[in-house]
Amino acid sequence: MSVRNLDALFRPASIALIADGPIGAVLARNLFAGGFDGPVMPVTPGARSIGSALAYPSVASLPMAPDLAVIAAPPDALPGLIAELGGRGTRAAAIVGTDRPAAAEGPDGRRLRQAMLDAARPHLLRILGPDGFGLMAPHHGVNASLGHVAPQAGDLAFVSQSGAVAAAVLDRATRRGIGFSHVVSLGGMADVDFGDMLDWLAADGRTRAVLLHVETVSHARKFLSAARAVARTRPVVVIRPGHGAPGAGDADGLIGPDAVYDAAFRRAGMLRVFDLAELFDAVETLASGLKVGGERLAILTNGAGLGLLAAEALADSGGSLAVPAPATLARLGAAGADPGLIDLGDAAPADRFARALEALLADPGRDAVLVVNGPSAIADPVEAARAVAGVVTAAAKRDGRRPQVLASWLGAGAEAGALFAEAHIPAYDTPGQAARAFMHLARHRRNQGLLMQTPPALPEDFQPDADSARAVIAAALAEGRAELTLAEARSVLDAYRIPLLPEGAAAPPEAHPLVLGIDEDPVFGPILLFGQGGAAAELLHDGVAALPPLNAVLARDLMMRARVWRLLQGYRGRPAADLDAVALTLVKLSQLAADLSEVACLRINPLLAGASGVLAPGAAIRVQPPLPPGTPRFAIRPYPQRLVQHLALRDGREVTLRPVRPEDEPAIREMLQRSSPEDVRLRFFSAMRSFSHEFAARLTQIDYDREMALVAEAEEDGRRAILGAVRIIADPDGETAEYGIMVRSDLKGQGLGHRLMTEIIDYARGRGLKRIFGEVLRENVTMLRMAGELGFARADVPDEPGIIHVTISLDDLPALSQHS
């Protein structure tokens, strides 16, 4: 259901409180003290009033239908209350502080949750909880929670499954003067879950950053789709218990149970942290606006011991010390085993800090500089802070951007902190905290980059033979076998063009043994595994996981997260492995997982990776009956190959119509560049002279779930060119979608625009959407005429005289495209 009626949770016009006893008293106190300017109506059969508010004996006796009901009642009473409230017109209910059976696993908990959902469904009433801490929306004066403190209004949103964690976060935030736009405890997630909350927060203009405490995810595809959408526009920081738990995460213990969640957070562009202190540190660091290009940190300090603490924290977090150029080291007068750690000595005066920082900022071998100052009886730390702030301010004015500098000033008090705040330098209490903060920036940049990377196209000769692989598996299943023989497994690998080691041949002596695999996660569906292989693979615990589908960029990122990555670079005369061949094998396995739901588990151990490519002696493959066609399996929807078709334009030109791919970014940019400035303006409502990577990537990096973009592709001058594109972006409720379309200027009049529109309309109807709408400039007469021919209704937009709103209902619309 997603965001439908969530406004009644966070911006209600009226609230009913159905609770008594100690929990009811806390809820009443918080609701009345929160500053809510609408009526709060207690429902308490045995009381005439609660505080100064008139109480009502029943839901039926309420003078109006409350938008929101806050309920703390015995579990068995909940379905009846939900039905009664829904019948009155209530649109949302927060079930707070109920007994554990309402949220517990097991027959009783499932029965109760289903009964509540059945009662709510006819009325579209949304349920938060059960067994939750409640919710707070400070900007609207709503405190429907069991919180012991009331947060100040701010721009952070915190969503947690645990009421205890929510209370701890509120307590810490209050002491640090941090405010919130929302604080929400999801509890048992009978209805409202993380995906719903992320969709709501994505459209909330008061939320600058989102903090999540995640224990479990209920709807993986919705969660990832919503999380990716939010993470493109604002930081999302997530904490989850279970990091580092050994074994039992997959069939043979290659990964821990937390590895798949870690892969999901990374794939969604979120930043993961591991304790509450780090949670707030990460938010403040990301909010500083500091941008870093990599993971190399130079450390400048007046104490070697302090610098070493920072360096150790940096290494533990996956970063590395920068290596300044020889000219920079000479300018600094520095040398030693760790040239990226510059020790000025405890007597270093302020001007020496300034000169050293200027030298490091001019060096291209670092991504940021951390300046650490410890207490000294000789040099003034405040003057040193003033010198550092002056260098940063001058560099920002000179270069037009802030230099990448962080600070940790020990024992200098508030005066140094004020200097750093004025110069917009993130400052931290300890060197280790500062080094970890740098890695927050680096990891967030890396995860965000994966959302916007343009992968290389797959080799044209990669044409898997899914039918032959499927036939091999079907024969095994017909014999009642769940395991393929070695010969059958080799046939499956060969069908996906994975190079095979000839039978009886010896393994190449210098090849690196790897393990690659496919597994099934109960929450996120198929996953891909990678790590160091060989007989001891399960003992080494070098496995890492990723969610398919993978492209070459994502495959290489997966490889880089395993410890074996460093060995694959070559060492002690051993040649480096063909990393592109390993990445391509992972992409091929990703395609195999998408094509063959019959493959329940697959292990290639070892995959022999050498300087000239990879070879697989075979694989262990466990199979199962195929799932019905169209069954959603992947948490991230795979490329919809079924939508590919071929058509001819009026001039006879052959065109392929297919969903867009991330690697289409260069071709999309070329299409825009070959179009007239006027046509570009009519499409994007703005004059655009250039098209950045980020802009074009946003047009090509879609999840094929809420968004769909079709491109028309044809051969031109010996290469493939995109002639036009159409897209829809659906709202989170899956009912309405906005469309956008553009045809290259020199191809107008060929019927391509009309065909693209009919195809996307039929696709939308097939997905169950109810309406498509668009905003069209009044002067775009060609688009308005085509919209009219297709059956779109027109309406003026209030306060926007230059824009026409066009919309079409899909419920009773006949098939429009020739393909349908």
Side-chain angles (χ1 to χ4, degrees):
M1 213 184 269
S2 205
V3 299
R4 185 181 301 162
N5 283 339
L6 290 191
D7 62 306
L9 272 175
F10 303 114
R11 295 197 293 263
S14 55
I15 301 174
L17 172 62
I18 306 173
D20 54 20
I23 288 180
V26 173
L27 289 171
R29 181 193 69 207
N30 287 341
L31 279 169
F32 288 123
F36 179 63
D37 61 3
V40 176
M41 302 172 287
V43 177
T44 306
R48 295 176 59 85
S49 65
I50 300 293
S52 60
L54 178 66
Y56 299 88
S58 65
V59 170
S61 65
L62 289 171
M64 66 179 72
D67 262 357
L68 169 64
V70 182
I71 305 173
D76 288 341
L78 294 173
L81 283 171
I82 294 293
E84 189 176 6
L85 287 161
R88 284 294 312 265
T90 300
R91 296 188 296 129
I95 302 175
V96 181
T98 59
D99 294 332
R100 286 298 303 176
E105 292 302 324
D108 289 342
R110 288 193 294 269
R111 175 191 59 78
L112 183 58
R113 289 196 296 273
Q114 190 58 53
M116 288 191 295
L117 291 175
D118 291 342
R121 187 173 295 111
H123 314 289
L124 301 180
L125 184 150
R126 304 305 305 274
I127 298 174
L128 178 68
D131 195 39
F133 167 89
L135 70 126
M136 301 173 175
H139 289 288
H140 202 68
V142 175
N143 184 353
S145 79
L146 299 177
H148 64 294
V149 293
Q152 64 188 64
D155 54 10
L156 298 184
F158 181 65
V159 184
S160 173
Q161 279 179 274
S162 164
V165 172
V169 165
L170 275 173
D171 187 67
R172 179 179 285 268
T174 300
R175 285 187 276 111
R176 294 178 65 166
I178 296 172
F180 292 89
S181 63
H182 301 74
V183 178
V184 183
S185 168
L186 296 177
M189 296 196 298
D191 174 21
V192 177
D193 61 12
F194 281 108
D196 300 324
M197 280 306 310
L198 287 167
D199 279 325
W200 171 263
L201 295 172
D204 181 62
R206 285 176 162 157
T207 297
R208 171 181 56 84
V210 179
L211 316 182
L212 302 178
H213 165 260
V214 177
E215 294 175 357
T216 58
V217 167
S218 52
H219 300 286
R221 181 173 287 188
K222 181 172 74 169
F223 170 78
L224 283 169
S225 186
R228 285 162 64 92
V230 177
R232 287 182 186 273
T233 60
R234 66 203 74 184
V236 181
V237 184
V238 59
I239 184 171
R240 179 178 187 267
H243 172 67
D250 67 315
D252 42 19
L254 287 174
I255 60 171
D258 189 59
V260 181
Y261 272 93
D262 202 58
F265 299 149
R266 181 185 301 265
R267 187 68 178 270
M270 297 187 283
L271 174 65
R272 185 175 185 182
V273 297
F274 301 101
D275 61 49
L276 293 181
E278 192 183 8
L279 186 76
F280 286 109
D281 287 345
V283 170
E284 292 181 2
T285 302
L286 295 178
S288 72
L290 197 65
K291 306 292 183 184
V292 300
E295 301 172 11
R296 305 166 301 171
L297 180 67
I299 300 174
L300 177 66
T301 181
N302 68 342
L306 295 175
L308 287 173
L309 290 175
E312 289 180 0
L314 176 69
D316 290 343
S317 301
S320 60
L321 275 176
V323 181
T328 304
L329 293 175
R331 183 177 171 187
L332 292 166
D338 290 320
L341 199 167
I342 310 299
D343 178 14
L344 301 178
D346 63 357
D351 62 339
R352 191 170 180 203
F353 268 98
R355 291 194 302 271
L357 180 57
E358 288 171 348
L360 288 172
L361 289 179
D363 188 274
R366 53 88 207 156
D367 296 301
V369 181
L370 168 60
V371 189
V372 180
N373 185 282
S376 170
I378 303 172
D380 186 342
V382 175
E383 287 304 310
R386 183 172 285 109
V388 167
V391 170
V392 169
T393 301
K397 291 180 179 178
R398 180 185 67 244
D399 302 331
R401 58 182 177 81
R402 290 170 54 195
Q404 298 86 357
V405 177
L406 304 91
S408 177
W409 240 242
L410 286 77
E415 193 171 352
L419 290 168
F420 292 138
E422 186 178 356
H424 303 289
I425 300 172
Y428 302 89
D429 293 337
T430 68
Q433 190 181 15
R436 285 187 289 271
F438 165 73
M439 285 307 298
H440 291 155
L441 294 168
R443 283 167 34 216
H444 186 255
R445 176 204 60 83
R446 185 173 60 205
N447 292 351
Q448 288 290 299
L450 291 174
L451 290 177
M452 305 296 279
Q453 284 276 5
T454 301
L458 285 174
E460 292 186 2
D461 60 355
F462 175 48
Q463 299 293 333
D465 187 355
D467 289 339
S468 68
R470 197 171 285 117
V472 170
I473 295 171
L477 291 172
E479 295 176 7
R481 290 189 286 115
E483 305 281 343
L484 297 189
T485 65
L486 178 60
E488 290 169 336
R490 283 172 63 92
S491 296
V492 171
L493 297 184
D494 186 54
Y496 278 80
R497 311 305 181 229
I498 295 173
L500 297 172
L501 180 70
E503 292 188 66
E510 293 186 333
H512 299 265
L514 303 173
V515 56
L516 279 68
I518 299 171
D519 235 334
E520 188 85 12
D521 182 78
V523 174
F524 293 96
I527 59 173
L528 293 174
L529 307 176
F530 173 80
Q532 186 167 343
E538 66 273 15
L539 299 177
L540 296 173
H541 293 303
D542 188 31
V544 288
L547 302 184
L550 292 189
N551 55 40
V553 171
L554 294 170
R556 188 169 283 246
D557 177 72
L558 171 64
M559 295 158 56
M560 291 173 67
R561 289 191 279 119
R563 292 191 298 272
V564 74
W565 170 258
R566 297 180 65 183
L567 299 179
L568 295 178
Q569 316 302 307
Y571 62 96
R572 294 183 180 177
R574 192 172 185 178
D578 185 341
L579 300 175
D580 289 339
V582 179
L584 179 58
T585 305
L586 284 165
V587 174
K588 291 175 178 178
L589 286 182
S590 173
Q591 187 62 51
L592 186 154
D595 294 342
L596 305 176
S597 65
E598 300 94 322
V599 174
C601 180
L602 180 149
R603 290 289 184 279
I604 303 176
N605 185 15
L607 179 77
L608 302 167
S612 57
V614 298
L615 291 170
I621 301 179
R622 189 172 72 247
V623 295
Q624 62 191 3
L627 296 175
T631 302
R633 299 169 51 231
F634 282 24
I636 300 172
R637 194 177 181 205
Y639 185 78
Q641 186 69 31
R642 65 178 181 82
L643 298 180
V644 177
Q645 58 174 303
H646 304 281
L647 55 97
L649 300 182
R650 289 171 182 165
D651 62 4
R653 185 186 318 213
E654 293 293 327
V655 172
T656 299
L657 191 65
R658 60 169 176 80
V660 73
R661 298 190 186 99
E663 54 265 35
D664 288 329
E665 183 203 321
I668 286 286
R669 293 172 73 178
E670 182 186 19
M671 181 196 79
L672 296 174
Q673 288 161 355
R674 292 179 62 180
S675 295
S676 71
E678 179 65 7
D679 283 347
V680 172
R681 185 184 69 84
L682 291 176
R683 167 61 179 89
F684 296 106
F685 289 31
S686 175
M688 304 175 68
R689 296 183 178 180
S690 62
F691 308 97
S692 67
H693 158 70
E694 290 76 16
F695 175 80
R698 186 64 190 88
L699 299 178
T700 57
Q701 303 264 354
I702 66 173
D703 65 4
Y704 308 115
D705 189 44
R706 299 183 188 184
E707 294 182 68
M708 179 55 67
L710 303 176
V711 297
E713 181 186 64
E715 189 83 17
E716 285 189 348
D717 300 324
R719 58 190 179 87
R720 305 298 288 179
I722 290 179
L723 313 182
V726 65
R727 72 182 54 246
I728 56 170
I729 302 175
D731 64 21
D733 294 326
E735 290 202 346
T736 302
E738 183 174 10
Y739 82 88
I741 184 172
M742 185 169 184
V743 173
R744 208 173 69 193
S745 297
D746 60 325
L747 290 166
K748 290 184 175 181
Q750 297 294 324
L752 180 57
H754 193 279
R755 182 62 182 273
L756 286 170
M757 281 299 299
T758 58
E759 291 293 340
I760 205 70
I761 289 171
D762 280 340
Y763 168 81
R765 185 181 54 185
R767 287 298 307 273
L769 292 169
K770 305 297 185 184
R771 291 176 301 282
I772 293 179
F773 73 93
E775 306 288 341
V776 184
L777 289 175
R778 189 178 296 274
E779 61 204 274
N780 193 349
V781 293
T782 302
M783 184 69 249
L784 290 172
R785 182 174 61 251
M786 181 169 66
E789 293 170 352
L790 291 168
F792 282 79
R794 295 176 50 161
D796 292 333
V797 177
D799 302 322
E800 293 284 354
I803 296 177
I804 300 294
H805 181 85
V806 297
T807 184
I808 188 171
S809 173
L810 306 181
D811 286 338
D812 302 316
L813 190 71
L816 298 176
S817 76
Q818 302 172 28
H819 181 61
S820 297

